[in-house]
Amino acid sequence: MQRYSPGDSPIHRAAPGAKLVALFAIGVLIALLSSTPALAALSALIMALFLIARLSVRDTAQALSPVILVAAAVFALQWWLTGIGEALRSVLRIFALVLAASLVTLTTPFSRMIDTLAAAAGPLAAFGFNPARFGLAAALVIRFIPVLMNDFREIEMARAARGSRRPALGAAGPLIIKTLRMTDTLSEAILARGFETREEAMRGGGRSDAAR
């Protein structure tokens, strides 16, 4: 996923919460749309938002580069299995989702994304839930959408190549395993960078202030 690209566009200035809600809505819309022209129009709209955000062609190309080869393979496989119409729709869904997620991360500082998600989970603290951890975890999920999409498509293609006609359902198991492995790696990296230590220090400082 792309790193934050500083700017002063309307999209940069938009509230992180609004952008995250829009990203969720776009994801639902992508899943629901079954018309090739509609998916193409949605992809074009998202690319227009890149222009409004004054992001460069290089930013757009870097957002799509991780999935181009996978998208090409998905297109070829879907064309062979179900026809060109479904092949086009599959590729458009991939591009639209990756572009939308990249637009959010390119125009939103990672720290603000974490803070927004943590604030949204604040009411759950009364039930012993940790909003800070939730904010970090949810922000990482958003940043790793393209990685998960790549993994899913690779698994889907492997199953289809072995003759499975319903690869999407069967891909869930291997995808969950790969995601859990990635989660373990990320957890180790977060612990190595002292996130838990800083969090405990902040809580300790808050208790000390309250005692004074």
Side-chain angles (χ1 to χ4, degrees):
M1 183 64 74
Q2 304 304 303
R3 294 183 177 181
Y4 172 63
S5 177
D8 192 37
S9 72
I11 297 178
H12 281 85
R13 295 195 302 270
K19 286 186 275 191
L20 292 172
V21 170
L23 176 60
F24 176 78
I26 288 173
V28 172
L29 186 60
I30 289 170
L32 293 177
L33 288 177
S34 58
S35 165
T36 302
L39 285 167
L42 180 60
S43 299
L45 175 61
I46 296 171
M47 293 188 71
L49 293 177
F50 270 73
L51 296 176
I52 294 173
R54 294 192 282 275
L55 297 171
S56 65
V57 174
R58 180 182 178 183
D59 289 327
T60 307
Q62 287 181 342
L64 290 175
S65 60
V67 297
I68 286 178
L69 292 179
V70 173
V74 168
F75 178 83
L77 185 62
Q78 291 282 11
W79 192 355
W80 177 53
L81 290 175
T82 60
I84 191 170
E86 187 57 38
L88 283 172
R89 287 188 287 274
S90 295
V91 170
L92 287 171
R93 287 189 181 99
I94 294 172
F95 284 169
L97 184 57
V98 170
L99 283 172
S102 296
L103 180 64
V104 172
T105 56
L106 281 166
T107 60
T108 311
F110 193 52
S111 59
R112 289 193 64 196
M113 194 182 301
I114 293 175
D115 291 343
T116 299
L117 292 167
L124 297 177
F127 302 98
F129 195 79
N130 190 315
R133 291 183 186 176
F134 172 80
L136 178 61
L140 287 172
V141 167
I142 292 170
R143 289 183 69 87
F144 278 91
I145 284 176
V147 176
L148 297 176
M149 287 290 294
N150 275 343
D151 289 344
F152 176 76
R153 295 301 176 183
E154 287 173 1
I155 294 168
E156 190 178 55
M157 285 189 298
R159 287 180 54 81
R162 291 195 295 268
S164 174
R165 293 290 176 174
R166 297 180 61 84
L169 181 61
L175 181 63
I176 290 172
I177 293 172
K178 294 188 72 171
T179 303
L180 290 174
R181 288 175 179 170
M182 184 176 67
T183 301
D184 287 340
T185 302
L186 287 172
S187 298
E188 292 171 2
I190 290 168
L191 289 172
R193 285 161 176 76
F195 178 79
E196 294 282 349
T197 303
R198 290 196 298 272
E199 189 181 356
E200 289 173 3
M202 290 174 64
R203 288 201 298 266
R207 285 194 295 268
S208 298
D209 292 340
R212 287 198 294 269

